[in-house]
Amino acid sequence: MSATFVGMPAFPVAAREALANSQQRRNLAHATSTIRAKRAAVVAEVDDWEQLRLAGAAIKDNTLLHLDEQLLRLEESLTARGATVHWARDAAEACAVVAEVARGHGVDEVVKVKSMATVEIGLNDALAAEGIAAWETDLAELIVQLGDDLPSHILVPAIHRNRAEIREIFLRHMAEAGRPAPADLTDEPARLAEAARLHLREKFLRAKVAVSGANFAVADSGTLVVVESEGNGRMCLTLPEVLVSVVGIEKVVPTWADLDVFLQLLPRSSTGERMNPYTSTWAGVTPGDGPQEVHVVLLDNGRTRALADEVGRQALRCIRCSACLNVCPVYERTGGHAYGSVYPGPIGAILNPLLKGVGVDAQTDSLPYASSLCGACFEACPVRIDIPSVLVDLRAQVVDAHRPSAKPEALAMRAAAAAFGSGARLGALERLSGLAGRLLGSRGRTAPGGRRLLGRVPGPGAAWTDTRDLPRPPAESFRAWWSRTGGRDE
Amino acid sequence: MRVALMVTCINDAMFPDAGKAVVRLLHRLGVDVEFPAAQTCCGQPMVNTGYLDEAVPLLRTFVDAFEGYDAVVAPSGSCAGSVRHQHAAVARRSGDPGLVAAAERISPTVYELSEFLVDVLGVEDVGAFFPHTVTYHPTCHSLRMLGVGDRPTRLLRAVHGLRLLDLPAADQCCGFGGTFAVKNADTSVAMGADKARHVRETGAEVLVAGDSSCLMHIGGLLSRQRSGVRVMHLAEVLAATEAAA
């Protein structure tokens, strides 16, 4: 994949471009409203949903509190089951481990299970640089890969594409990657899936090395878990001789029994299904069955930085279900690319700054502001991540990282704070604003109800008045009315 | 019971009719509401933009204004939400234990208008008369941060002459979001345009909400579209009477 998020503009600029793409907006509005309705229906059937959310949050919080012990326990269990454990501080170290395993087996291709961690670390590009092709086998990831596109959703990376576009991508690009799409391919979902199945089957049967992530890693049994819908993941997990799994360190749960909670929360929150079609679990090597060489790369890549953030660490509870994306009114309109990261939407708006740190680049610093703070994400989150509170805390970190600032916004905030310094001062300024409103002129018409409308406001205020009417400030403020009447004149 | 009106800065400076309506309504219900003139702004615009230091003096002003009341009524879900959910963090930022304690004392006394009417005064029929078709937008902070639930619509349904029409996708954010409306103006307007479309679909004469800020945004779009739909604060509808009509 040569498409890259690197160098993406800050959110407001990227969002403006995305909003102009009316086809994408229709695709997203349709897809997110469908999945929202499905999720709402299956969540409503569960009487103890709130208790499950609380349990999920508590298990994750407890684990994060003892992450060092849990990870060592996981390493011990995995090693005892015949797996080789590698520790990777960052993306480069993790990619190097995977490349070394592939090189060690002399292969020039690997098949991949859908995995956020491997997209996060840019594994496909790193392997390509070593002459190793990494084939995505998840249908949506395949669409993204063949289209030289970028993922725009955690669960459904090609959510921004409709089936006519997918047909086009298959017809044009499948041949470059292996078996071509049939020339008479239509945009019927069954025909598209068939083309992908035939294309991928060759790769499954040929590959010697597979790469996966994991949804969960059970410390006491050394079990890795992959939850999926298509069965393509299971093909990768069972057919090749060698399996390398890149697992974020926050994926650990203490015991097998803990999966009970998460395997209820995850499918209902993500695909809106009571149960997902395929749940694969494996612990190390089973002689004569499945991969006979198993590697697990435990990935930090900023997670310990996030763990050190008192307010933000709850983001590490995330089980990558995408419920927050699907309910987010900002995501629904801008799509995922505007967030400039493999992790888009509300969770991406907190996870990226937490993993990378704020005050370093303008794109990351723009993400905590990519929200109206409506709270729909918190309400939908199966592990109760209070995303709005984390966003607000990260905004303070962004501002603090740039103090002292002479940016117009900082000056405006200081001026506003001064204006709000006392009731008397505010009252004086309100008298001025009434005057200023009259000086700025009006639009020559009134709002329903009779208020006169302000003309175009200069400076940053134009961002408001260019698209929205604004009433003229009233001749008398509330406090002036109160001081004149004591609240008793009407 | 000593009751204070926290009118909110936006109502004070831009929408005084909403504040006057609260006063008229509470007087009618026998509440002798006071207006502490020292009040300015709860600090939410600063907090939500990341300027915590700038919010600290505002919290001091807030505490000075509202200390000692049994109840503080705010015609805003967002500002009441900011007091109850954000003042603790602002107080901690100050490093002043006195301010932390004061914020802790006052926060639970602050009610959004519909909460105060239904939970504290125990009324749903406030004796209002408003012979118009109305649709109601539940603002995000009243809905999700405070959890006011159906209190506002219970109050509206009890208004004589009023016909309440369901707003499609009512729980979707209008896109105001404070400084979001300017920092991410394009996205904000895209969200607001959908909200305005849903409002027009209802055919209602009046859009009602409990936050003047959201109404300023949706109303600004409705007005620019020459839709003819009027926006009114919940308090204005509840304060309306047959005599006034």
Side-chain angles (χ1 to χ4, degrees), chain B:
Chain B
M1 183 167 65
R2 276 190 80 205
V3 178
L5 170 63
M6 172 186 160
V7 75
T8 78
C9 63
I10 188 171
N11 284 325
D12 179 14
M14 283 296 288
F15 302 99
D17 287 350
K20 293 180 204 172
V22 178
V23 173
R24 212 154 56 231
L25 173 66
L26 292 183
H27 282 170
R28 195 168 78 217
L29 296 170
V31 178
D32 188 17
V33 64
E34 298 173 39
F35 176 73
Q39 66 181 280
T40 61
C41 166
C42 65
Q44 183 178 202
M46 287 78 190
V47 176
N48 281 358
T49 315
Y51 292 81
L52 272 189
D53 285 344
E54 286 74 3
V56 169
L58 273 58
L59 177 57
R60 290 192 197 283
T61 309
F62 174 87
V63 163
D64 289 344
F66 294 109
E67 179 91 87
Y69 287 93
D70 300 305
V72 177
V73 189
S76 163
S78 198
C79 304
S82 178
V83 171
R84 289 193 342 219
H85 293 272
Q86 298 185 324
H87 273 188
V90 179
R92 276 197 303 276
R93 173 82 166 204
S94 75
D96 172 358
L99 192 59
V100 172
E104 262 174 36
R105 270 195 311 277
I106 300 171
S107 286
T109 67
V110 176
Y111 297 89
E112 181 273 338
L113 177 65
S114 74
E115 294 178 321
F116 181 75
L117 295 173
V118 174
D119 300 345
V120 181
L121 298 186
V123 290
E124 281 187 23
D125 184 347
V126 296
F129 175 73
F130 192 72
H132 299 282
T133 53
V134 162
T135 193
Y136 172 75
H137 167 61
T139 61
C140 297
H141 290 174
S142 66
L143 192 68
R144 302 194 183 89
M145 202 183 245
L146 298 179
V148 302
D150 64 354
R151 288 174 186 82
T153 45
R154 271 149 63 197
L155 289 159
L156 284 173
R157 281 181 208 287
V159 172
H160 302 269
L162 183 150
R163 202 165 129 242
L164 186 63
L165 303 171
D166 279 338
L167 178 65
D171 62 354
Q172 285 258 316
C173 177
C174 71
F176 171 66
T179 49
F180 175 79
V182 183
K183 286 176 81 89
N184 279 285
D186 301 280
T187 309
S188 168
V189 169
M191 291 159 71
D194 287 341
K195 180 61 72 180
R197 178 169 51 82
H198 289 310
V199 170
R200 291 198 315 271
E201 279 166 13
T202 66
E205 299 164 72
V206 181
L207 168 70
V208 172
D211 278 272
S212 293
S213 52
C214 310
L215 286 174
M216 179 171 74
H217 172 67
I218 312 169
L221 287 161
L222 286 168
S223 163
R224 185 63 56 93
Q225 296 168 351
R226 317 287 207 275
S227 68
V229 182
R230 183 178 180 185
V231 298
M232 287 176 79
H233 194 282
L234 176 68
E236 294 179 84
V237 173
L238 298 180
T241 57
E242 199 141 9

Side-chain angles (χ1 to χ4, degrees), chain A residues 330-389:
Chain A
V330 173
Y331 176 89
E332 179 189 334
R333 286 166 184 87
T334 66
H337 292 159
Y339 296 81
S341 159
V342 55
Y343 300 112
I347 187 66
I350 61 172
L351 202 53
N352 288 299
L354 286 165
L355 293 176
K356 297 174 192 166
V358 299
V360 182
D361 70 276
Q363 197 277 331
T364 304
D365 284 359
S366 75
L367 291 177
Y369 294 93
S371 166
S372 64
L373 303 177
C374 84
C377 48
F378 181 24
E379 201 172 55
C381 177
V383 286
R384 295 189 101 260
I385 302 170
D386 183 354
I387 294 177
S389 293

Side-chain angles (χ1 to χ4, degrees), chain A residues 201-239:
Chain A
R201 186 90 10 146
E202 289 182 355
K203 296 192 161 84
F204 291 136
L205 293 173
R206 200 171 61 211
K208 288 199 164 53
V209 177
V211 177
S212 84
N215 292 94
F216 305 100
V218 182
D220 74 347
S221 61
T223 312
L224 298 191
V225 182
V226 161
V227 175
E228 50 143 354
S229 296
E230 296 170 4
N232 292 345
R234 183 167 291 175
M235 291 284 216
C236 298
L237 295 169
T238 51
L239 286 173

